[in-house]
Amino acid sequence: MHSNPARPRALIRWFTALALALAALLAVPAVAQTARAESDPRPAELPKTLKVGTEGVYPPFSFHEGSKLTGYDIEYFNEVARRLGVEVSYVETPWDSIFAALDSGRIDIIANQVTKNPERTARYDLSRPYVTTRGVVVVRGDDDSVKQLADLKGRSSAQNITSSWAKVASGAGAKVVGVESMDKAADLVTQGRVDALVNDELAVRNFLSTHPSSGLKIAVTTDDESQSVFATKKGAGIIGDVDRTIAQMEADGSAQKIYDTYFGVEATAPSTWTVIKQNIGPMLGSVVSATIPLTIISFVIGLALALAVALARLSVNRLLEWPARIFVSIFRGTPLLVQLFIVFFGLPQLGIKLGPWPSAVLAFSLNVAAYAAEIIRSAILSVPKGQWEAASTIGMNRALALRRVILPQAARVAVPPLSNTLISLVKDTSLASGILVTEMFRRAQIAAAPSGAFLELYGVAAAIYWIICFVLGVVQTRLEDRLGRHVAS
């Protein structure tokens, strides 16, 4: 390909426009935050609305009944907030990311049975305990070899790796196997993939009563007393008010009333068919409100970026070609989940704080751009050089030739691999649940946690993904036929 002075200038204009658009996107949260700070007269230590981090998949403390978030911690903190005169906005976050969300300012306080320990006391402001319990060791019903905590030595134990119970298990000599939630840990024990799990007695007894067919039993009750607290960042100025409210609730009996609601009666499990009927609507709703929009927006932006990157890769100007080459190498050479976490949890440390949706769109778009750029570049290179020369002979400059002659021919070659990228993106949107986007698979996880209907609900989720991808495959075939209609065989 031959150099043309107009081409680098056009590419520079492309990159400048994209950079300005990205800068505007990043500026919106900061401007909005400043506006709120100027207009809200409430004191900083007690926000008008408290953003409360919770898992949403940890019954009986935080779970869903259909689409409703409920549980002991939820009802308890709702009463705390009511007495404080503040609104509550629950931010459902996987346990292993919940303290990262607190550190990055995504949430104001954690209400998810946080166990008080010296490390957390040193790093965070912790409330007075609102419930106290003990730990238990859970094994399969036919396993009589664990009679004390020390018997876990050399065995595998499924745990949230950032939880206090993981430290109890590892301290006993167990090999800790990391899982996202207790329901998944219990499932691994049932299947014989790990030997045991250590967790809170109240949570375990609730699980056993709602999953009578799990085949699990409590083998050991530990001497480790667990004091559950609410946690905020150091110096946030919230815990003092929360402590006074907890004391009031204990004094007037309302705390005990909430406790009796969840732990004073035997819990029962709904049927699998009931669980599916309750949750198929919210799952399909998340497809429409999250999965599909997230896919379309990210793919369109990613495709525009990919074209710019592909043209830069084809340029003989090293100032354009090398940055594009490095961009492709970085985003193809690192996991998408890591990219999502860097954008969402890492950038706030640099003063760049994006919401869950903008973070997901940014990460997905950049990832799509890296893969699609190479597809577009190879498609352009597949067009015979004679097409460039033919366009030149009829007076077209290179930009016009690219738009009217080269890209239409390259599109026919690029459609199949770009369609595969789009289909992959549909499935990759499930990773957005890790940065607080409640898409369809997250809905399935939320529903499966209290019910244990993993096969059924994950099967429904798989079927929904397959239907979406099947439709996209049909569209791909139609588009290929249309683009190849006038191509000589």
Side-chain angles (χ1 to χ4, degrees):
M1 299 180 68
H2 301 287
S3 172
N4 188 306
R7 190 175 176 195
R9 288 196 297 271
L11 288 171
I12 290 172
R13 286 196 296 270
W14 262 88
F15 282 119
T16 301
L18 288 170
L20 290 173
L22 182 59
L25 177 64
L26 297 178
V28 168
V31 171
Q33 186 175 1
T34 301
R36 286 195 300 268
E38 292 176 352
S39 60
D40 192 350
R42 298 179 66 86
E45 66 271 18
L46 196 60
K48 183 177 180 180
T49 299
L50 281 175
K51 293 176 291 184
V52 182
T54 192
E55 281 184 278
V57 291
Y58 188 42
F61 297 96
S62 172
F63 66 101
H64 282 258
E65 289 181 347
S67 59
K68 179 187 176 184
L69 179 65
T70 188
Y72 176 72
D73 283 2
I74 305 304
E75 287 204 24
Y76 198 106
F77 199 84
N78 283 342
E79 179 62 17
V80 170
R82 186 187 70 79
R83 296 185 181 214
L84 290 176
V86 298
E87 299 293 327
V88 177
S89 173
Y90 287 101
V91 181
E92 295 180 45
T93 312
W95 172 260
D96 290 337
S97 302
I98 205 163
F99 282 98
L102 182 63
D103 291 336
S104 62
R106 305 286 181 183
I107 56 179
D108 300 312
I109 190 168
I110 300 174
N112 202 88
Q113 211 202 15
V114 174
T115 300
K116 183 178 182 179
N117 61 32
E119 294 81 8
R120 290 172 183 160
T121 301
R123 185 167 182 178
Y124 301 99
D125 282 345
L126 305 180
S127 72
R128 62 185 290 166
Y130 61 92
V131 67
T132 300
T133 183
R134 295 174 299 175
V136 293
V137 179
V138 178
V139 299
R140 291 183 299 280
D142 58 357
D143 184 356
D144 296 323
S145 61
V146 179
K147 301 183 183 303
Q148 57 184 346
L149 190 61
D151 291 337
L152 288 178
K153 185 175 182 179
R155 299 172 183 264
S156 57
S157 183
Q159 310 289 155
N160 286 111
I161 56 175
T162 57
S163 72
S164 294
W165 300 119
K167 294 183 179 180
V168 172
S170 62
K175 177 184 176 182
V176 172
V177 177
V179 294
E180 293 180 359
S181 56
M182 195 196 77
D183 57 292
K184 292 182 176 62
D187 205 38
L188 290 178
V189 179
T190 298
Q191 296 170 13
R193 297 185 181 186
V194 296
D195 298 312
L197 71 89
V198 182
N199 212 294
D200 173 86
E201 182 179 20
L202 293 175
V204 167
R205 292 195 181 281
N206 176 269
F207 178 87
L208 294 179
S209 65
T210 56
H211 299 74
S213 61
S214 65
L216 302 180
K217 68 178 182 180
I218 295 175
V220 178
T221 299
T222 76
D223 295 327
D224 298 275
E225 187 177 75
S226 170
Q227 294 183 323
S228 297
V229 296
F230 301 116
T232 70
K233 293 175 72 172
K234 278 286 186 184
I238 299 173
I239 289 300
D241 292 319
V242 172
D243 277 347
R244 286 188 289 273
T245 305
I246 292 174
Q248 293 170 4
M249 292 172 62
E250 291 174 349
D252 63 23
S254 56
Q256 185 64 42
K257 183 178 179 181
I258 297 172
Y259 183 93
D260 291 341
T261 299
Y262 286 90
F263 306 117
V265 295
E266 189 76 6
T268 57
S271 68
T272 299
W273 179 238
T274 299
V275 172
I276 292 176
K277 286 195 298 182
Q278 287 177 341
N279 291 282
I280 187 67
M283 288 173 67
L284 291 174
S286 294
V287 170
V288 176
S289 65
T291 301
I292 291 177
L294 192 56
T295 299
I296 293 174
I297 295 170
S298 300
F299 189 73
V300 170
I301 296 175
L303 207 58
L305 288 170
L307 178 59
V309 173
L311 294 177
R313 287 274 283 116
L314 292 169
S315 175
V316 296
N317 187 333
R318 292 295 183 90
L319 294 178
L320 294 174
E321 195 265 343
W322 271 102
R325 184 187 294 270
I326 293 171
F327 170 85
V328 170
S329 176
I330 290 173
F331 283 94
R332 289 204 309 174
T334 55
L336 176 56
L337 185 60
V338 173
Q339 295 166 17
L340 284 163
F341 274 53
I342 288 174
V343 171
F344 190 71
F345 294 115
L347 291 186
Q349 297 181 13
L350 302 178
I352 303 172
K353 184 178 176 182
L354 299 176
W357 261 78
S359 295
V361 169
L362 178 59
F364 286 140
S365 298
L366 293 175
N367 189 268
V368 166
Y371 284 93
E374 292 299 277
I375 295 172
I376 295 172
R377 182 178 71 90
S378 61
I380 291 174
L381 290 175
S382 72
V383 178
K385 291 184 178 180
Q387 296 295 308
W388 289 97
E389 296 168 358
S392 178
T393 59
I394 60 174
M396 289 187 181
N397 58 32
R398 293 192 68 82
L400 186 61
L402 179 69
R403 188 170 70 252
R404 293 190 176 180
V405 179
I406 304 303
L407 287 181
Q409 296 182 63
R412 182 172 58 86
V413 178
V415 163
L418 286 178
S419 298
N420 288 338
T421 301
L422 176 60
I423 289 172
S424 294
L425 179 60
V426 171
K427 296 174 288 185
D428 286 343
T429 57
S430 61
L431 297 175
S433 63
I435 61 168
L436 316 186
V437 176
T438 306
E439 41 63 61
M440 191 265 290
F441 185 63
R442 176 62 178 170
R443 287 290 181 193
Q445 290 179 307
I446 288 170
S451 65
F454 296 103
L455 177 61
E456 296 83 355
L457 289 167
Y458 291 173
V460 170
I464 294 173
Y465 281 121
W466 176 77
I467 291 171
I468 296 172
C469 293
F470 177 81
V471 172
L472 290 175
V474 172
V475 174
Q476 172 189 339
T477 301
R478 293 282 186 90
L479 186 57
E480 287 179 16
D481 292 342
R482 185 177 182 85
L483 291 173
R485 187 175 299 169
H486 303 294
V487 177
S489 58

